[in-house]
Amino acid sequence: MNEQKIVEIDTVKIKKRLKQRKAKMKMSLSVCARCTLCADSCFLFNNNNKDPKYMPSYKFINSIGRIYKRRGKVDRAALEKIREIVWKDCVLCTRCYCPFGIDIPDMIAFARSICREQGVYPTFED
Ligand code: SF4
Ligand code: SF4
């Protein structure tokens, strides 16, 4: 049985967390040119038939990017989708390279930390 504790999503806390790193995150999200160059350096992308969902840019845009776009107003279902991306589709190996200087692993790690604070994280059953 899944033992993960169901807690109410605290959007005020998420908003506060976003504010702490607003400048860096805003810059990274606006700088991404969707050039896909980072994909070549991700072994998960290469080992999964170059499925676009494993592209590093896809992963940060659809995790922390999504949380930013909604200004922290995300529900549990949205965080659970993000959990799949930031834990299952990325191992934070830090190998992805962006010529524009975007720190992709840092952004994915930030999404993980927001999810974890809200009680959304992988369990042994996942
Ligand atoms: S993260 Fe960097 S390398 Fe990847 S698509 Fe965006 S700009 Fe290109
Ligand atoms: S940190 Fe994640 S996105 Fe970047 S190369 Fe590693 S698995 Fe791929």
Side-chain angles (χ1 to χ4, degrees), residues 2-6 9 53 59 62-64 66-67 74-92 108 110-116 118-126:
N2 191 330
E3 296 289 334
Q4 193 158 330
K5 199 177 159 200
I6 303 292
I9 302 301
K53 82 170 188 152
K59 292 181 248 190
N62 287 285
S63 58
I64 196 66
R66 194 166 283 178
I67 298 173
V74 284
D75 58 14
R76 176 166 297 280
L79 288 184
E80 283 174 352
K81 270 190 200 159
I82 289 169
R83 172 184 62 191
E84 299 304 296
I85 297 172
V86 297
W87 269 286
K88 276 195 178 161
D89 300 347
C90 175
V91 295
L92 285 188
I108 294 175
F110 187 38
R112 277 191 186 191
S113 108
I114 288 175
C115 286
R116 192 180 281 118
Q118 299 300 325
V120 178
Y121 44 81
T123 64
F124 290 116
E125 289 82 16
D126 289 331

Side-chain angles (χ1 to χ4, degrees), residues 7-119:
V7 290
E8 205 176 312
I9 302 301
D10 184 349
T11 55
V12 174
K13 189 172 182 184
I14 296 177
K15 216 170 172 177
K16 266 191 206 157
R17 293 279 275 125
L18 295 180
K19 222 172 169 184
Q20 287 165 355
R21 304 187 59 179
K22 194 176 170 187
K24 186 178 180 187
M25 294 293 141
K26 210 174 161 189
M27 195 273 288
S28 301
L29 288 163
S30 62
V31 151
C32 179
R34 317 288 202 269
C35 66
T36 75
L37 287 173
C38 50
D40 286 338
S41 50
C42 179
F43 77 97
L44 282 172
F45 173 72
N46 288 312
N47 289 353
N48 284 285
N49 300 316
K50 300 190 187 291
D51 182 339
K53 82 170 188 152
Y54 289 97
M55 285 197 301
S57 53
Y58 175 92
K59 292 181 248 190
F60 81 75
I61 289 166
N62 287 285
S63 58
I64 196 66
R66 194 166 283 178
I67 298 173
Y68 261 96
K69 207 170 169 190
R70 294 188 188 167
R71 294 188 169 85
K73 285 186 191 157
V74 284
D75 58 14
R76 176 166 297 280
L79 288 184
E80 283 174 352
K81 270 190 200 159
I82 289 169
R83 172 184 62 191
E84 299 304 296
I85 297 172
V86 297
W87 269 286
K88 276 195 178 161
D89 300 347
C90 175
V91 295
L92 285 188
C93 67
T94 74
R95 284 189 203 132
C96 38
Y97 169 72
C98 169
F100 292 87
I102 297 173
D103 189 344
I104 302 164
D106 181 55
M107 299 181 80
I108 294 175
F110 187 38
R112 277 191 186 191
S113 108
I114 288 175
C115 286
R116 192 180 281 118
E117 279 172 1
Q118 299 300 325

